[in-house]
């Protein structure tokens, strides 16, 4: 799966973080990419029939639509034990059924499909699928805009994790972050990697020179786990370059292998740099050449909560909304796409969640007059129970339309208290 997804997702992450900017933030590029990939399942599979929206959707995904759709189905059909995932497609009751029935069968089987909930229902869905970390859905369907526009469908994804470190951090004086660190004077305490269980390295990169890497694995028994990778470069390196390096290194981090480009500490000068302090001492060691290398890392605790607008053209949501609107045969004049993401990194573990939503919007119909009839069964009336007998192929059976029970209601009863 990594060979199919890692490259396109890394490229997508670069575009998403670029739209967010260089400030403190957390996001889930996977949550956004997965939403586009679910949309890809509804597109016409015939390349000859692909329209401009499908082409732009494939460009945003970084792969062809059938491949992206298959990745979405595979990920959602085999959920990770430490990363909860969910997707849903809701549309206005009585609408969205006019298109081809093929799109519904092509959706990942775990994708919830149904009538568009109210705001309380959307918020409840967000809470349920993010371990309670996100209280409100990122899109509003009940607002001042209701008078002039109408949400006709929403496609949503949710990802969430809450894990404990296999080996918790130790605590260090915040001054260990370095004399030149602006955080050293702001904080009293920081985290220090334990003597075993975490992985640290100095890595040489083509983009940014030497960077420092820390990997903390989540506590797990056998099978899938989670590794949180931290990467820092020299202060002058642009955040986009550091994020790109982190994505590159994340592929190998999952295997627990030493990162490519790792530097030997005996090839570096002793002393202080903005990224590390290197010292040497005489010790007893079993190292074959008598030269032992040790690493530890000092990091701050951190948390973030952000709401991201995903309507930038490079992120592909206009193409996704157009593609889905075509599949549902719904008129769409505008769209919204947003993501809410939260995360916390501390001594004992890591938790994060993201809910991504996109909505197709149409104008409200012109004003007219509506009449409502409340039918009152206030005197004796007849009842007939009729059987239905329609097969999956639409062919009716012998019971179809047969009255099975009938009644004349002349003695009404009180509604039971229970």
């Amino acid at each position: 799966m990594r060979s199919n997804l890692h490259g396109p997702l890394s490229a997508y992450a670069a575009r998403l973080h670029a739209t967010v900017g260089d400030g403190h933030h957390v996001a889930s590029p996977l949550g956004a990419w997965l939403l586009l990939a679910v949309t890809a399942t509804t597109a016409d599979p015939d390349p000859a029939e692909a329209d401009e929206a499908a082409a732009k959707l494939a460009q945003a995904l970084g792969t062809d639509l059938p491949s992206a759709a298959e990745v979405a189905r595979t990920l959602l059909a085999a959920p990770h034990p430490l990363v909860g995932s969910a997707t849903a497609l809701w549309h206005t009751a009585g609408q969205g059924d006019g298109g081809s029935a093929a799109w519904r069968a092509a959706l990942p089987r775990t994708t919830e499909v149904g009538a568009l909930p109210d705001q309380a229902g959307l918020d409840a869905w967000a809470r349920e699928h993010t371990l309670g970390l996100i209280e409100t859905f990122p899109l509003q369907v009940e607002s001042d805009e209701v008078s002039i526009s109408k949400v006709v469908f929403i496609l949503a994804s949710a990802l969430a994790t809450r894990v404990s470190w296999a080996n918790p951090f130790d605590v260090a004086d915040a001054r260990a972050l370095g004399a030149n660190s602006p955080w050293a004077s702001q904080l009293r305490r920081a985290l220090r990697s334990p003597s075993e269980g975490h992985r640290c390295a100095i890595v040489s990169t083509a983009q940014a020179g030497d960077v420092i890497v820390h990997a903390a694995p989540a506590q797990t028994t056998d099978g899938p786990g989670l590794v949180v990778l931290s990467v820092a470069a020299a202060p002058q390196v642009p955040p986009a370059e550091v994020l790109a390096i982190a994505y590159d290194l994340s592929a190998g981090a999952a295997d627990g292998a030493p990162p490519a480009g790792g530097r030997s500490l005996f090839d570096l000068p002793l002393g202080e740099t903005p990224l590390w302090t290197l010292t040497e001492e005489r010790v007893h060691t079993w190292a074959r050449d008598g030269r032992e290398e040790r690493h530890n890392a000092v990091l701050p605790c951190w948390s973030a909560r952000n709401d991201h607008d995903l309507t930038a053209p490079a992120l592909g949501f206009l193409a996704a909304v157009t593609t889905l609107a075509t599949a549902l045969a719904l008129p769409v004049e505008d769209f919204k796409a947003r993501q809410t993401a939260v995360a916390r990194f501390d001594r004992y573990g890591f938790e994060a969640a993201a809910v991504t939503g996109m909505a197709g919007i149409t104008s409200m119909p012109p004003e007219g007059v509506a009449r409502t009839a409340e039918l009152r069964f206030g005197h004796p009336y007849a009842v007939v129970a009729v059987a239905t007998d329609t097969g999956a192929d639409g062919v009716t059976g012998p019971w179809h339309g047969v009255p099975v029970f009938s009644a004349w209601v002349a003695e009404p009863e009180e509604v039971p208290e229970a």
Side-chain angles (χ1 to χ4, degrees):
M1 180 62 64
R2 184 172 65 221
S3 61
N4 294 335
L5 179 58
H6 199 271
L9 183 57
S10 296
Y12 190 85
R15 296 196 298 274
L16 192 153
H17 283 286
T19 65
V20 171
D22 295 345
H24 179 74
H25 72 271
V26 63
S28 176
L30 174 59
W33 191 96
L34 191 60
L35 208 58
L36 300 183
V38 171
T39 304
T41 67
T42 70
D44 194 315
D46 184 357
E49 298 297 325
D51 56 15
E52 181 181 1
K56 290 183 176 179
L57 181 58
Q59 182 179 16
L61 285 163
T63 186
D64 61 273
L65 299 190
S67 296
E70 185 58 29
V71 169
R73 294 189 194 98
T74 302
L75 289 178
L76 293 169
H80 192 285
L82 298 183
V83 182
S85 58
T87 53
L89 172 60
W90 303 291
H91 53 86
T92 304
Q95 295 183 290
D97 298 320
S100 166
W103 66 264
R104 187 183 293 266
L107 282 174
R109 61 178 179 80
T110 57
T111 298
E112 175 185 339
V113 179
L116 184 67
D118 60 11
Q119 194 65 51
L122 292 172
D123 293 345
W125 188 88
R127 289 192 297 272
E128 177 185 354
H129 295 289
T130 62
L131 307 174
L133 295 174
I134 295 178
E135 291 283 335
T136 57
F137 196 79
L139 297 176
Q140 296 293 311
V141 296
E142 297 171 2
S143 66
D144 293 339
E145 298 179 4
V146 169
S147 60
I148 58 173
S149 63
K150 176 183 179 183
V151 173
V152 291
F153 67 78
I154 289 178
L155 182 63
S157 71
L159 297 170
T161 188
R162 179 180 282 135
V163 295
S164 299
W165 306 128
N167 299 87
F169 283 90
D170 296 328
V171 176
D173 190 298
R175 288 175 293 184
L177 290 167
N180 296 320
S181 168
W183 300 334
S185 59
Q186 298 174 18
L187 304 171
R188 290 191 306 107
R189 303 196 302 171
L191 306 176
R192 188 188 301 278
S193 59
S195 58
E196 58 183 37
H198 293 202
R199 301 191 296 274
C200 305
I202 298 173
V203 177
S204 176
T205 70
Q207 309 98 305
D210 289 337
V211 302
I212 53 175
V213 180
H214 171 265
Q219 185 174 10
T220 182
T221 54
D222 295 333
L226 190 74
V227 176
V228 179
L229 191 74
S230 301
V231 178
Q236 68 272 16
V237 178
E241 291 188 19
V242 185
L243 279 162
I245 292 168
Y247 265 83
D248 288 344
L249 294 175
S250 68
D255 299 325
R263 298 289 303 272
S264 168
L265 299 186
F266 290 95
D267 293 336
L268 299 169
L270 297 173
E272 185 108 7
T273 78
L275 291 176
W276 65 79
T277 299
L278 185 57
T279 61
E280 185 175 282
E281 61 181 325
R282 303 297 297 180
V283 297
H284 295 283
T285 178
W286 294 107
R288 181 173 302 177
D289 58 0
R291 302 199 303 176
E292 181 178 329
E293 299 191 26
R294 302 173 179 175
H295 298 78
N296 65 68
V298 181
L299 306 86
C301 293
W302 63 269
S303 66
R305 186 192 188 283
N306 298 94
D307 296 291
H308 305 303
D309 186 339
L310 303 180
T311 55
L315 299 182
F317 280 92
L318 174 57
V321 167
T322 303
T323 299
L324 188 53
T326 300
L328 274 63
L330 285 173
V332 170
E333 300 170 2
D334 199 1
F335 80 105
K336 294 180 180 180
R338 299 192 66 84
Q339 181 183 92
T340 298
V342 299
R344 178 177 298 277
F345 182 105
D346 61 25
R347 182 180 182 186
Y348 295 104
F350 176 74
E351 62 182 23
V355 174
T356 310
M358 72 177 196
I361 302 170
T362 190
S363 298
M364 293 291 283
E367 285 193 3
V369 177
R371 292 187 177 185
T372 302
E374 183 174 276
L375 308 183
R376 306 182 187 281
F377 290 82
H379 56 265
Y381 60 94
V383 174
V384 177
V386 182
T388 62
D389 187 11
T390 304
D393 55 2
V395 177
T396 57
W399 279 85
H400 193 71
V402 175
V404 181
F405 302 101
S406 57
W408 177 255
V409 179
E411 296 183 5
E413 295 181 355
E414 184 60 67
V415 176
E417 292 293 335

